[in-house]
Amino acid sequence: MTALLTVRNLSKAFRVSSDRPGKPKQWLRAVDGVSFDLMPGETLGLVGESGCGKSTTGKLLLRLIEPDRGSVHFEEKSITSASKRDLTAMRRDMQIIFQDPFSSLNPRMRVGEIIGEPLIIHGLARGPEIRQQVIALMQKVGLSAEHYDRYPHEFSGGQRQRIGIARTLAVRPRLVIADEPVSALDLSIQAQIVNLLKDLQQEFGLTYLFISHDLGVVEHVCDRVAVMYLGRIIELADVESLYQHPRHPYTEALLNAVPVPDPNRQRRQQILTGEIPSPIEPPSGCHFHPRCPYAQDLCKTEYPVFTEKSGGHQAACHFSEQVGKFRQPTS
């Protein structure tokens, strides 16, 4: 099967001011050589701590931010080298659901105008057709026709996210980048939005890049998971393989931090030492080695190659075969 989205060596650095007078400006490497394939109809989770580069990666894929280097191809068509006109046409097939449902909607526009705007931009409807299609989309996401003339401030967070989802679906995209679409919502509302996204995927044949820091949600939604640390993907595998047999110490630490809803079940604690390194001056060798319980001298000098360990399970770790001892439950 041919990949819907192909990403190779995608990188982005931001220039930041020094906090010391007279010291030159520095570069923050937000995304550093990211590569992956996204297959049609699948959901790929992109996880990691806040600040690891997840959202920046999502925006780079659509060229909402211009990459410094690397390539992104949608069905073998280059996104990174496309002209502005061609990019506008390509974005009909690629849309994004933003993280914050409160700031991603124009407060001066009515809901019907917000959802209908993509139809006008891409010439998909005109006149009375716009209202008809918008109302149909609103009903698809759990809103009613009476909401058409209301403003965003009149809705709850969950309802606003439904408006954002309807706007995304207006142009019938094939790829949707969901940038932490439930992180700003209450738990009960999160479940509703997650189930809605899964239902819409089945109905419209969508492909998702699902960006999140919630490993519980990712396990429920995704087919494969990519783990990011300091701007790089350090592990990529299908959900079952990654959750049951992580091959990178950082992934193991993330999984151990997920609460277990069973008071009688105990796990060995994995305590990471040290502070999270700065993406401005990352450590030499493996960037995770100052916090890694498995680190050896080799890790301090040589960055591990991102390679396949078994059955499509890829990781960047010199000692991946040792990872997992902290995942063993104890009674």
Side-chain angles (χ1 to χ4, degrees), residues 72-212:
V72 181
H73 286 80
F74 182 84
E75 288 191 325
E76 301 182 354
K77 298 177 183 178
S78 175
I79 296 174
T80 44
S81 62
S83 65
K84 183 176 291 187
R85 182 176 180 178
D86 291 340
L87 185 61
T88 299
M90 294 173 71
R91 280 181 177 157
R92 179 179 171 182
D93 288 322
M94 306 176 297
Q95 291 290 305
I96 185 169
I97 302 172
F98 292 100
Q99 176 178 356
D100 187 357
F102 296 93
S103 64
S104 61
L105 304 178
N106 189 331
R108 292 184 173 88
M109 296 177 67
R110 300 177 189 270
V111 168
E113 296 172 326
I114 292 172
I115 300 174
E117 186 176 31
L119 297 173
I120 298 172
I121 291 174
H122 291 277
L124 301 178
R126 63 178 61 183
E129 296 177 351
I130 297 175
R131 185 180 181 92
Q132 294 172 5
Q133 292 192 31
V134 168
I135 291 176
L137 286 166
M138 292 170 66
Q139 293 172 342
K140 286 284 186 186
V141 300
L143 300 172
S144 65
E146 66 181 26
H147 294 144
Y148 188 94
D149 291 316
R150 295 185 182 180
Y151 289 94
H153 74 267
E154 300 179 67
F155 295 88
S156 66
Q159 289 175 316
R160 293 188 194 194
Q161 197 61 291
R162 291 175 189 270
I163 295 169
I165 293 171
R167 176 179 59 185
T168 296
L169 293 177
V171 293
R172 297 294 191 269
R174 299 172 61 192
L175 169 66
V176 173
I177 296 174
D179 185 9
E180 304 215 36
V182 298
S183 63
L185 308 177
D186 295 337
L187 284 177
S188 59
I189 306 301
Q190 286 185 16
Q192 295 176 20
I193 298 299
V194 165
N195 290 333
L196 173 63
L197 291 173
K198 294 184 70 175
D199 292 341
L200 293 172
Q201 182 177 33
Q202 292 294 322
E203 182 174 353
F204 293 100
L206 300 172
T207 300
Y208 286 142
L209 177 67
F210 193 89
I211 300 171
S212 179

Side-chain angles (χ1 to χ4, degrees), residues 3-24:
L4 182 68
L5 189 74
T6 303
V7 183
R8 293 291 181 269
N9 197 34
L10 193 63
S11 299
K12 180 65 178 180
F14 296 98
R15 196 172 184 180
V16 295
S17 299
S18 172
D19 55 356
R20 299 178 183 178
K23 190 174 182 180

